[in-house]
C-alpha cells in the first residue's frame, strides 16, 4: 500500500480508470462532503470487514477518512482480505479540504 499526499493521491486517482474510492467515515461525516464516486463503508460498524470483502479485489482502492487513523486501519483489513493495490490519503479529508480540493455532497 502507498500513503500519498493530496496532490499525488488525486493524480493517481484521476489516472486510474477502474477503481474503488472508499470513504471509511460515518454517514454523518460523509454527508458533509466526500470525494466524487466514493463508496462509504463505516470503519466503526461491526460488518466493516464483511462489507470490504464484497468489493472487487482486482481493482485499486483509494481509501480515506477524516485525518488518517481509520484509513490506516482499513488498509490493514484490505491487505488481509487480499487487495493488492491500496492507496491511502495522507491527512485524510482534513488535508483534502485544506488543499481546497473538490468534494461532493
Amino acid at each position: 500500500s502507498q500513503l500519498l499526499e493530496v496532490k499525488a493521491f488525486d493524480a493517481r486517482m484521476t489516472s486510474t480508470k477502474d477503481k474503488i474510492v472508499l470513504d471509511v467515515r460515518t454517514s454523518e461525516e460523509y454527508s458533509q462532503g466526500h470525494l466524487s464516486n466514493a463508496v462509504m463503508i463505516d470503519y466503526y460498524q461491526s460488518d466493516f470487514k464483511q462489507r470490504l470483502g464484497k468489493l472487487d479485489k482486482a481493482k485499486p482502492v483509494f481509501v480515506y477518512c477524516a485525518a488518517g487513523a481509520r484509513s490506516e486501519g482499513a488498509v490493514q483489513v484490505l491487505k488481509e482480505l487480499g487487495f493488492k493495490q491500496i492507496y491511502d490519503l495522507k491527512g485524510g479529508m482534513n488535508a483534502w479540504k485544506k488543499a481546497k480540493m473538490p468534494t461532493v455532497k
Side-chain angles (χ1 to χ4, degrees), residues 3 7 9-10 13 15 19 32-33 37 41 51 53 70 78 87 91 100 102:
L3 183 63
K7 296 290 183 203
F9 187 88
D10 182 55
M13 198 165 55
S15 66
K19 61 180 171 280
Q32 301 296 313
N37 302 314
I41 301 181
R51 289 180 62 195
R70 282 173 284 178
L78 287 163
Y87 302 100
K100 307 224 178 335

Side-chain angles (χ1 to χ4, degrees), residues 2-99:
Q2 280 183 283
L3 183 63
L4 301 175
E5 299 277 356
V6 172
K7 296 290 183 203
F9 187 88
D10 182 55
R12 180 62 63 97
M13 198 165 55
T14 305
S15 66
T16 306
K17 296 267 183 287
D18 212 14
K19 61 180 171 280
I20 296 165
V21 181
L22 178 64
D23 187 321
V24 297
R25 299 174 304 156
T26 64
S27 53
E28 193 179 330
E29 288 173 296
Y30 183 84
S31 67
Q32 301 296 313
H34 53 87
L35 302 195
S36 184
N37 302 314
V39 182
M40 193 212 91
I41 301 181
D42 187 343
Y43 186 73
Y44 296 129
Q45 294 302 312
S46 56
D47 64 349
F48 180 70
K49 189 170 184 175
Q50 193 184 342
R51 289 180 62 195
L52 286 188
K54 291 181 179 155
L55 299 174
D56 187 345
K57 293 179 182 61
K59 293 181 180 179
V61 182
F62 291 84
V63 62
Y64 68 93
C65 60
R70 282 173 284 178
S71 64
E72 196 179 319
V75 166
Q76 296 312 315
V77 179
L78 287 163
K79 280 183 187 169
E80 276 171 42
L81 290 167
F83 286 84
K84 298 280 178 262
Q85 281 182 283
I86 311 161
Y87 302 100
D88 184 3
L89 176 58
K90 188 176 183 187
M93 203 57 169
N94 296 348
W96 186 265
K97 284 181 173 167
K98 205 171 179 180

